[in-house]
Amino acid sequence: MKVTLDQWRALIAVIEAGGYAKAAEALGKSQSTVSYAINQLEQALNIAIFQLEGRRAIATPAGNALYQRAKHLLAEAKSLEGAAERLGQRIEPEVGLAADLLVPSCQWLKCLDLFSETYPDTRVDVLESALSGTEDALVQKHVDLAITARVPAGFLGQRLGAVTMVGVAAPQHPLHHLGRPVVQEDLRHQRQLVVRDTGVHRRYSAGWQEAEQRWTFAHFSTSLGAVKQGLGFAWMPEGYIERDLLEGSLKKLPIAEGGERLLPLYLVFANQDVAGPATHALADILLAQFTV
């Protein structure tokens, strides 16, 4: 390397300050030190970086081009030092999060954004799961944290909030035209649209057993599209359907009893005792920011 980081730093300071004296003051160095650094840089690169106009140092076109790239170089160097410091503090390079599909992604993405401000170099691996899939991820230690409606045996969970499950169908669906409240027997004879249990053994289907005929999808967004087309009824998390209810593309089923179901949500550590600082930081953000 012909040029040191200090020389690039001097280049940036002189351009931004508009002269050697103010640049020296900003850097906490003598003016002669800054002048020498620029002189060495120009000699090493065999290029004129500044031209003097009175007492002002004006960057040449080449100097301006180098200034932009030097800023990126110093930013990368600072980021690298920060990453090395965090590694020295044993900050984990990656955090795994299982997010139950009951929760719309927009509600935990804002938490990841806040997390990245403090831990920009820590990768986040999100597993979007449903029912026993979230439990499997915790038990098998495939993730560090989980947002789940079920706390597996042997684990402890911190309450995050709750999800309201709502029975819905398109306005033209027969269940809306019975002329009376919908009862359990009515649901059994209509097609139900459900989301697949992502667990290895698919142990759970709680609350999804009303209908004899069911269509199963991988995500609530797909199930929602099918419901809006009038292809069946479904129990949907309220967070997915608020706009559709307001716009009238979906209607709540007039179920006689139990038209809404409240599911508690928990934040669960796979192993809190060995979790690193980044995992704990993400957990704190989720607990502070999460609203469902």
Side-chain angles (χ1 to χ4, degrees):
M1 300 290 291
K2 296 180 181 180
V3 180
T4 67
L5 289 178
D6 277 340
Q7 290 167 346
W8 288 122
R9 191 174 289 111
L11 164 66
I12 293 170
V14 174
I15 288 180
E16 293 183 345
Y20 287 87
K22 290 184 178 180
E25 183 179 346
L27 293 172
K29 298 180 181 294
S30 67
Q31 184 173 336
S32 60
T33 299
V34 174
S35 178
Y36 179 75
I38 296 298
N39 183 58
Q40 291 294 105
L41 190 154
E42 290 180 321
Q43 289 186 26
L45 299 179
N46 193 28
I47 192 172
I49 296 174
F50 293 102
Q51 58 187 25
L52 294 177
E53 294 184 4
R55 302 182 66 178
R56 286 181 57 81
I58 306 300
T60 64
N64 277 319
L66 291 173
Y67 163 73
Q68 296 297 333
R69 298 190 67 175
K71 287 186 70 175
H72 289 299
L73 175 64
L74 288 182
E76 285 296 319
K78 184 177 180 180
S79 176
L80 180 61
E81 288 180 357
E85 182 179 354
R86 285 187 285 274
L87 287 171
Q89 296 170 353
R90 297 190 177 182
I91 294 174
E92 54 272 50
E94 181 174 289
V95 174
L97 172 68
D100 198 294
L101 290 172
L102 289 167
V103 183
S105 60
C106 61
Q107 295 181 343
W108 45 260
L109 282 173
K110 63 182 180 182
C111 297
L112 298 188
D113 187 31
L114 290 170
F115 172 77
S116 69
E117 294 176 5
T118 307
Y119 294 90
D121 301 310
T122 297
R123 301 185 301 274
V124 180
D125 186 2
V126 179
L127 172 67
E128 295 183 80
S129 52
L131 296 170
S132 65
T134 311
E135 181 177 327
D136 289 345
L138 283 168
V139 172
Q140 297 169 15
K141 302 296 188 290
H142 290 165
V143 296
D144 303 292
L145 289 169
I147 301 169
T148 178
R150 294 176 177 274
V151 179
F155 290 80
L156 297 175
Q158 294 173 273
R159 184 72 178 267
L160 278 180
V163 170
T164 301
M165 300 292 290
V166 182
V168 293
Q172 70 272 21
H173 193 278
L175 288 171
H176 286 302
H177 301 281
L178 297 176
R180 56 173 173 77
V182 174
V183 297
Q184 191 80 4
E185 190 64 23
D186 298 321
L187 297 177
R188 289 197 181 96
H189 297 291
Q190 296 291 331
R191 181 186 298 122
Q192 185 177 5
L193 308 176
V194 303
V195 172
R196 178 178 295 108
D197 184 341
T198 59
V200 175
H201 302 294
R202 301 181 182 175
R203 297 182 292 277
Y204 303 128
S205 58
W208 290 353
Q209 296 288 350
E210 286 89 353
E212 296 174 358
Q213 183 186 103
R214 287 181 287 162
W215 285 3
T216 304
F217 300 99
H219 199 282
F220 278 112
S221 59
T222 314
S223 178
L224 175 58
V227 176
K228 290 167 68 175
Q229 290 184 44
L231 301 178
F233 78 92
W235 291 94
M236 298 292 299
E238 197 169 35
Y240 284 91
I241 58 173
E242 289 175 339
R243 178 178 296 180
D244 297 298
L245 291 173
L246 286 172
E247 294 175 349
S249 57
L250 283 183
K251 289 177 61 179
K252 294 183 180 181
L253 292 173
I255 298 175
E257 293 182 0
E260 294 186 358
R261 300 169 178 177
L262 196 65
L263 299 180
L265 282 177
Y266 302 91
L267 181 67
V268 182
F269 280 86
N271 190 334
Q272 189 167 3
D273 293 335
V274 301
T279 301
H280 279 281
L282 179 55
D284 290 341
I285 292 171
L286 288 165
L287 289 167
Q289 299 291 327
F290 213 79
T291 55
V292 290

